């Protein structure tokens, strides 16, 4: 049986923008707050299962024990749960000090994304049919694979929402082990 990779999206549960973009990239339908997807890469014979959930409660994140925690850009959040002990990678907006404070001193590593040159992953350009994601610094996925700086074209246009949601969704999927080449063709 495939060990699922869990991606927890923490933030406002009103828009579900990041989950919708992941659903679009994976060509799956999101059902409520949970998207379960099985990806099969015929060219290399791999299979991967993703469980993607969204919540506005940090306690839910801790209880689900995700491999990746994606912080959606929201206003100041009350930190009601200590995330120490989670073996996870956080994806957060470069200027999100609230998210940085939540993971400070927990041992959770972080990958920043956004529209800043300081971001590890950013948006290079957007057309009507695609967004070009730019990996500006090497990042390491859950399996220890290094993703080198490069540009990745993904099939999502501006109608999918805010640029941060697009770049954070793509970043979380890259960290989950989906290769840049596969992400371009998903």
């Amino acid at each position: 049986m495939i060990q699922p990779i869990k991606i927890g999206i923490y933030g406002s549960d009103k828009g579900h923008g990041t989950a919708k973009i992941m659903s679009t990239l994976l060509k799956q339908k999101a059902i409520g707050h949970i998207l379960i997807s099985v990806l099969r890469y015929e060219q290399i014979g791999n299979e991967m299962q993703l469980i993607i959930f969204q919540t506005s409660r940090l306690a839910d994140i801790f209880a689900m024990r995700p491999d990746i925690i994606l912080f959606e850009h929201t206003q100041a959040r009350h930190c009601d749960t200590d995330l120490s002990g989670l073996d996870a990678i956080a994806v957060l907006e470069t200027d999100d000090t609230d998210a940085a404070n939540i993971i400070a001193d927990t041992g959770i590593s972080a990958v920043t994304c956004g529209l800043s040159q300081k971001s590890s992953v950013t948006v290079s350009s957007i057309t009507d049919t695609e967004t070009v994601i730019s990996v500006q610094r090497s990042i390491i996925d859950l399996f220890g694979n290094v993703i080198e700086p490069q540009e990745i074209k993904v099939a999502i246009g501006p109608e999918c929402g805010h640029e941060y949601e697009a770049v954070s969704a793509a970043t979380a999927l890259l960290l989950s082990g989906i290769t840049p080449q596969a992400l371009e063709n998903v």
Side-chain angles (χ1 to χ4, degrees), residues 9 92 100 104 118 125 170:
I9 303 171
L92 53 106
K118 297 185 292 181
S125 66

Side-chain angles (χ1 to χ4, degrees), residues 63-83:
M64 289 293 291
R65 309 204 64 80
D67 302 291
I68 299 168
I69 305 168
L70 193 155
F71 288 86
E72 280 203 323
H73 54 96
T74 60
Q75 298 193 343
R77 294 168 286 235
H78 173 69
C79 187
D80 58 353
T81 303
D82 181 8
L83 297 180

Side-chain angles (χ1 to χ4, degrees), residues 48-69:
M48 166 189 285
Q49 183 179 30
L50 294 174
I51 298 174
I52 301 167
F53 65 96
Q54 184 161 358
T55 181
S56 60
R57 291 177 15 97
L58 205 55
D60 294 340
I61 293 289
F62 189 78
M64 289 293 291
R65 309 204 64 80
D67 302 291
I68 299 168
I69 305 168

Side-chain angles (χ1 to χ4, degrees), residues 93-111:
E93 196 165 13
T94 304
D95 298 327
D96 190 344
T97 55
D98 293 328
N101 288 334
I102 288 171
I103 65 167
D105 302 320
T106 63
I108 295 173
S109 60
V111 174

